[in-house]
Amino acid sequence: MHKRVIDGRFELVERLGGGGMGLVWRAWDLALHREVALKEVRPPDPSIDEHDPAHARELRARVLREARALARLNHPHVATIHHIVDPGEQGYPWIVMELVTGGSLQDRVQRGPMPPPEAARLGREVLSALRAAHEVGIQHRDVKPANVLLRADGRSVLTDFGIAAMRESTSLTATGSFIGSPEYMAPERINGVEGDPASDLWSLGMMLYVAVEGRHPLRRSTALATLAAVLNQDVPPAERAGVLGPVLGALLVRDPAARPDAATLDGMLAAAESGHLPAPPLPHP
């Protein structure tokens, strides 16, 4: 079978997955003789090029801006971007990234809940990636177990920042499908309030809750019912969280201003990682 080669250099081997932003492929770099991940960026609504070419152009430009900003981060817990293939107006970009082979946090949680100190270590790694991104003005907007990949040595890598480029236009595509993951989305984002990095911290808290409990406290049978639960229902206390309990309690509160800032949160996670019960954060002045 003839394999598809992108940009005369990257031979597509197999499809690894897809999300709101496009498809991810395992590929072979014919120049450097190494495996890479290739992200085929495509809009969730394929008819956008026909119906709204100006918006499609803006989307392409935003994806490229975001990829360049992420490439500058050079952070140990952010997936490394090696190269961008930009076909110009003829199509959407391909982003060439490191291939992370250890599966995702979602795969890990399906094998059973994580011990709280291990989840706290992972939480600190993801938090450090979010802090680096927030400092250069990038919010992730889709922190969830499927977007945290695990390297062979167990260290985690946050991936798939690109949803930000899609989300700002509209949360619902023309075909009515939802962008983002409703069960990990902060209540204020569901209400259309953007621009607060604390929203990513809610998502981190919900992800850690699922990691130690092995289940999601507000997931319902449909996406709409889940959205309603996130908006209207308090998160029940985790039963298996142990030393992580105070962290989850501090993050999963409706008011973004009441969540701990990143530095305080890192201190709380560090205590939990070492097996100590962290002190609750001081109230904001």
Side-chain angles (χ1 to χ4, degrees):
M1 186 177 121
H2 187 65
K3 289 203 171 116
R4 187 175 167 199
V5 177
I6 303 302
D7 204 32
R9 173 172 171 180
F10 302 102
E11 183 179 81
L12 301 186
V13 178
E14 64 171 327
R15 184 176 154 180
L16 294 175
M21 275 287 293
L23 303 175
V24 181
W25 299 80
R26 180 194 295 263
W28 181 251
D29 183 339
L30 296 166
L32 290 177
H33 290 208
R34 65 174 176 184
E35 284 195 313
V36 291
L38 226 65
K39 180 157 193 185
E40 180 183 1
V41 176
R42 48 166 69 171
D45 183 359
S47 62
I48 186 175
D49 287 308
E50 279 171 60
H51 300 314
D52 194 349
H55 183 53
R57 272 198 304 277
E58 168 62 10
L59 218 47
R60 282 190 197 94
R62 292 210 43 172
V63 168
L64 290 170
R65 274 204 304 276
E66 190 116 340
R68 289 179 183 126
L70 284 173
R72 287 199 304 271
L73 279 185
N74 191 21
H75 188 278
H77 298 294
V78 174
T80 305
I81 294 179
H82 298 310
H83 182 67
I84 299 172
V85 178
D86 179 12
E89 293 293 302
Q90 287 69 49
Y92 286 88
W94 293 76
I95 300 174
V96 185
M97 309 167 78
E98 69 170 308
L99 181 68
V100 182
T101 54
S104 69
L105 176 59
Q106 182 171 307
D107 301 327
R108 165 66 188 79
V109 172
Q110 280 168 353
R111 299 197 298 270
M114 290 176 92
E118 187 187 334
R121 176 185 64 83
L122 180 128
R124 288 189 81 192
E125 293 175 353
V126 174
L127 175 62
S128 72
L130 287 172
R131 289 176 83 172
H134 291 164
E135 277 166 20
V136 295
I138 299 173
Q139 291 180 55
H140 189 285
R141 292 182 168 82
D142 200 24
V143 178
K144 61 181 178 182
N147 283 340
V148 174
L149 305 180
L150 303 173
R151 291 196 175 106
D153 64 3
R155 285 182 308 141
S156 58
V157 182
L158 186 59
T159 185
D160 222 357
F161 282 78
I163 205 156
M166 295 299 178
R167 276 286 309 289
E168 280 199 3
S169 51
T170 169
S171 294
L172 287 168
T173 66
T175 54
S177 59
F178 195 81
I179 312 293
S181 307
E183 63 263 48
Y184 292 97
M185 197 176 287
E188 64 274 11
R189 280 202 174 132
I190 297 171
N191 277 324
V193 178
E194 288 288 349
D196 193 334
S199 302
D200 277 345
L201 301 187
W202 164 286
S203 304
L204 173 62
M206 191 59 86
M207 183 178 82
L208 293 176
Y209 186 114
V210 171
V212 292
E213 288 292 295
R215 61 178 181 82
H216 192 290
L218 300 176
R219 184 180 287 134
R220 302 294 183 257
S221 56
T222 67
L224 276 178
T226 300
L227 288 174
V230 173
L231 272 178
N232 303 314
Q233 293 179 21
D234 290 333
V235 180
E239 293 164 15
R240 302 168 181 262
V243 291
L244 211 51
V247 176
L248 304 181
L251 285 176
L252 297 175
V253 292
R254 285 210 153 56
D255 177 7
R259 293 171 205 150
D261 62 27
T264 304
L265 177 57
D266 186 61
M268 294 177 76
L269 285 167
E273 183 185 359
S274 61
H276 299 112
L277 206 61
L282 296 169
H284 292 275

